[in-house]
Amino acid sequence: MVTRFPETPSQTGGPYVHIGLAPQQAGFEIFGNNFGNDLVADDTVGERITIEGRVFDGSGTLVRDALLEIWQANASGKYAHRLDPQDKQLDPTFRGWGRTGADFDSGVFEFRTIKPGPVEADGGRVQAPHICVVVFARGINVGLHTRIYFDDEAAANAADPVLGGIEWETRRETLIAKRSERDGKVFCTFDIRLQDTPDGGAETVFFDI
Amino acid sequence: MTIGEFVERDATVHPPALTPGYKTSVLRSPRNALISPRNTLSEITGPVFGARELGEKDNDLILNFAKDGLPIGERLVVHGYVRDEFGNPVSGALVEVWQANAGGRYRHKKDQYLAPIDPNFGGCGRMITDSNGYYVFRTIKPGPYPWANSTNAWRPAHIHMSLSANGWAQRLITQLYFEGDPLIERCPIAKTIPTVEQVRSLIAQEDPANHIPFDARTYRFDVTLRGRRATFFENTLPGAPR
């Protein structure tokens, strides 16, 4: 049999994950260039949106020490990566990745980004616009992967192969962000529930990707 | 031959989500099984980082926060290779590390442990693996620290490590322990990992041949990330021309 080396096991990011991944939030300045939650440059193409949300544990308590990252395609649905074979326009101003911690007081996390375009899937299908999310925190042994979809994309969502692969239709709803406008800005609200919460909040769908 | 999907993650080498010995996991673990879709373009791609985004001292934790002197503690070099499950080097991966100081105190708003902050030690660093998948950083050996899992729980000395490699599916955060530390086998976090062999894979080995005389000791720590399947025939990778 061909040797396959086992993957290095995951461990929790712990409560002080910010020191390494968001040192300014931990309370100090160390790097000249910090990675953050603003994915958009002045000339980035696409509709500006703010993703905002909170993470809740199984008691309904805010997870104030969560660290989140997102990965997404640009406005044309193209990933800034050499393995994306789609014949679509790259946006040189858009890496498609960002990172932030939930606020230590309010528990709110925020990303300033653009709404991604649809990405091709196999069998000639198309994935609805979506943003990949991973959540790390104290108490989470292996980073939890989920996806954000958009409630103004009902038709595309209905045809999405990943959403459609969730057998329990009622659970699909946990992946749909709610769009609203405040002060002329578009917000997409996406709360994450690590377990069903006592107030009736349903556990978010998490993926083994 | 083109590039295929990632080989599925072997869940048996990782901690399960619910590990009651590590109490915080009880309310922070999903109750439902994870759902396993096939990889799409979204999972086989991932963010790309360039060496030019990093500063000169970003991988030197001894100097990158030094203000009016050197930090106190054991001087260490930590180095190793990042490879995938098939042994291929993983180049261009962003490796980020963070840790406590020599006394086990973190430079973080929320850490109240009575051991003092070291004014010359920040406790974080980052680097990008070279074409051989090699990384190296310099630091002070972290001390163990107490935590409130039980009234007398102590973490072994450890360095947290985060890897962002060539695909979103490879994203990994883990912890590196040190050879010979008796706290490892009592640690509820290390013990979330199901097998002794896999705990051992998180223990950096002393590397005396690479000690720097009258300067620093060296530890070796290699990391394995998920590998991609090669596709020899029909490629149904999402988005590929058929």
Side-chain angles (χ1 to χ4, degrees):
Chain A
M1 228 169 75
V2 171
T3 306
R4 200 174 130 201
F5 305 96
E7 188 186 4
T8 297
S10 176
Q11 292 269 265
T12 178
Y16 308 130
V17 62
H18 316 87
I19 295 173
L21 304 187
Q24 290 171 311
Q25 193 180 351
F28 63 107
E29 285 289 343
I30 188 164
F31 296 135
N33 170 40
N34 288 287
F35 298 127
N37 64 347
D38 192 346
L39 285 70
V40 180
D42 286 347
D43 43 358
T44 299
V45 178
E47 183 195 17
R48 268 64 178 158
I49 58 171
T50 299
I51 305 285
E52 60 159 25
R54 295 166 296 174
V55 182
F56 297 93
D57 73 11
S59 75
T61 302
L62 286 167
V63 177
R64 294 185 171 89
D65 52 11
L67 187 112
L68 297 96
E69 292 181 4
I70 60 173
W71 169 239
Q72 65 167 97
N74 69 21
S76 350
K78 172 93 173 170
Y79 283 106
H81 191 275
R82 66 193 160 81
L83 293 181
D84 183 340
Q86 298 176 102
D87 184 20
K88 291 176 176 176
Q89 194 73 41
L90 268 175
D91 181 341
T93 70
F94 193 70
R95 168 154 49 198
W97 174 85
R99 166 191 286 168
T100 193
D103 185 88
F104 291 148
D105 299 313
S106 67
V108 173
F109 66 83
E110 233 182 55
F111 291 97
R112 286 176 291 284
T113 186
I114 51 114
K115 188 172 171 186
V119 174
E120 290 171 22
D122 60 352
R125 293 184 293 178
V126 176
Q127 300 188 66
H130 67 275
I131 295 177
C132 300
V133 185
V134 64
V135 186
F136 298 103
R138 174 173 66 104
I140 297 178
N141 290 327
V142 184
L144 291 169
H145 287 276
T146 186
R147 282 181 167 208
I148 300 174
Y149 289 86
F150 300 92
D151 65 351
D152 57 341
E153 295 282 350
N157 291 344
D160 182 83
V162 174
L163 276 177
I166 302 169
E167 178 186 353
W168 307 275
E169 286 180 37
T170 56
R171 300 197 66 208
R172 297 177 191 168
E173 198 58 34
T174 66
L175 302 186
I176 315 284
K178 304 284 178 291
R179 185 185 172 103
S180 62
E181 285 187 33
R182 294 201 300 272
D183 311 323
K185 283 165 67 179
V186 176
F187 287 85
C188 297
T189 303
F190 186 76
D191 288 340
I192 296 173
R193 288 181 173 77
L194 302 179
Q195 296 173 2
D196 289 338
T197 55
D199 64 359
E203 181 177 307
T204 300
V205 169
F206 297 106
F207 296 108
D208 166 27
I209 63 169
Chain B
M1 189 177 103
T2 56
I3 302 290
E5 300 166 42
F6 285 97
V7 173
E8 70 176 358
R9 175 169 265 172
D10 179 355
T12 66
V13 308
H14 292 282
L18 175 61
T19 48
Y22 172 30
K23 293 177 181 174
T24 315
S25 74
V26 173
L27 282 172
R28 293 185 171 195
S29 46
R31 289 289 173 263
N32 287 280
L34 299 180
I35 290 176
S36 305
R38 281 193 60 183
N39 278 180
T40 72
L41 273 180
S42 309
E43 289 77 33
I44 69 150
T45 59
V48 178
F49 301 92
R52 277 178 303 180
E53 296 181 80
L54 308 189
E56 235 172 60
K57 291 179 184 161
D58 280 8
N59 70 338
D60 187 349
L61 284 69
I62 291 181
L63 293 184
N64 69 10
F65 201 76
K67 305 295 183 199
D68 53 8
L70 292 170
I72 288 173
E74 293 182 45
R75 295 165 63 88
L76 298 184
V77 172
V78 179
H79 70 156
Y81 290 88
V82 182
R83 303 192 190 91
D84 71 17
E85 291 166 287
F86 302 109
N88 300 310
V90 178
S91 60
L94 176 67
V95 179
E96 297 167 286
V97 293
W98 68 99
Q99 62 168 95
N101 67 23
R105 174 70 185 270
Y106 283 98
R107 184 176 288 279
H108 190 287
K109 280 178 183 170
K110 301 287 179 187
D111 187 3
Q112 303 294 319
Y113 180 34
L114 53 70
I117 286 283
D118 183 334
N120 293 309
F121 190 71
C124 62
R126 54 193 190 174
M127 60 229 100
I128 289 178
T129 56
D130 72 12
S131 56
N132 296 314
Y134 182 76
Y135 74 89
V136 57
F137 65 97
R138 186 161 81 146
T139 191
I140 296 295
K141 188 174 183 191
Y145 77 92
W147 59 303
N149 196 59
S150 61
T151 51
N152 203 10
W154 290 76
R155 294 301 323 280
H158 64 280
I159 298 176
H160 296 268
M161 184 178 277
S162 161
L163 295 113
S164 302
N166 300 319
W168 189 243
Q170 291 176 311
R171 188 78 182 84
L172 182 72
I173 287 184
T174 188
Q175 300 181 25
L176 162 173
Y177 304 109
F178 292 92
E179 183 182 356
D181 188 337
L183 291 170
I184 297 170
E185 66 180 41
R186 298 207 290 274
C187 177
I189 290 180
K191 287 204 294 201
T192 60
I193 297 167
T195 68
V196 175
E197 290 75 18
Q198 284 303 94
V199 173
R200 201 175 294 143
S201 75
L202 294 186
I203 302 176
Q205 303 294 304
E206 187 157 22
D207 182 7
N210 279 306
H211 289 355
I212 305 169
F214 300 100
D215 182 341
R217 284 154 60 235
T218 298
Y219 280 85
R220 169 77 178 260
F221 183 69
D222 294 339
V223 175
T224 305
L225 300 178
R226 286 168 67 189
R228 293 176 199 272
R229 205 163 47 74
T231 55
F232 302 99
F233 298 101
E234 187 185 14
N235 186 5
T236 60
L237 186 68
R242 292 160 62 88

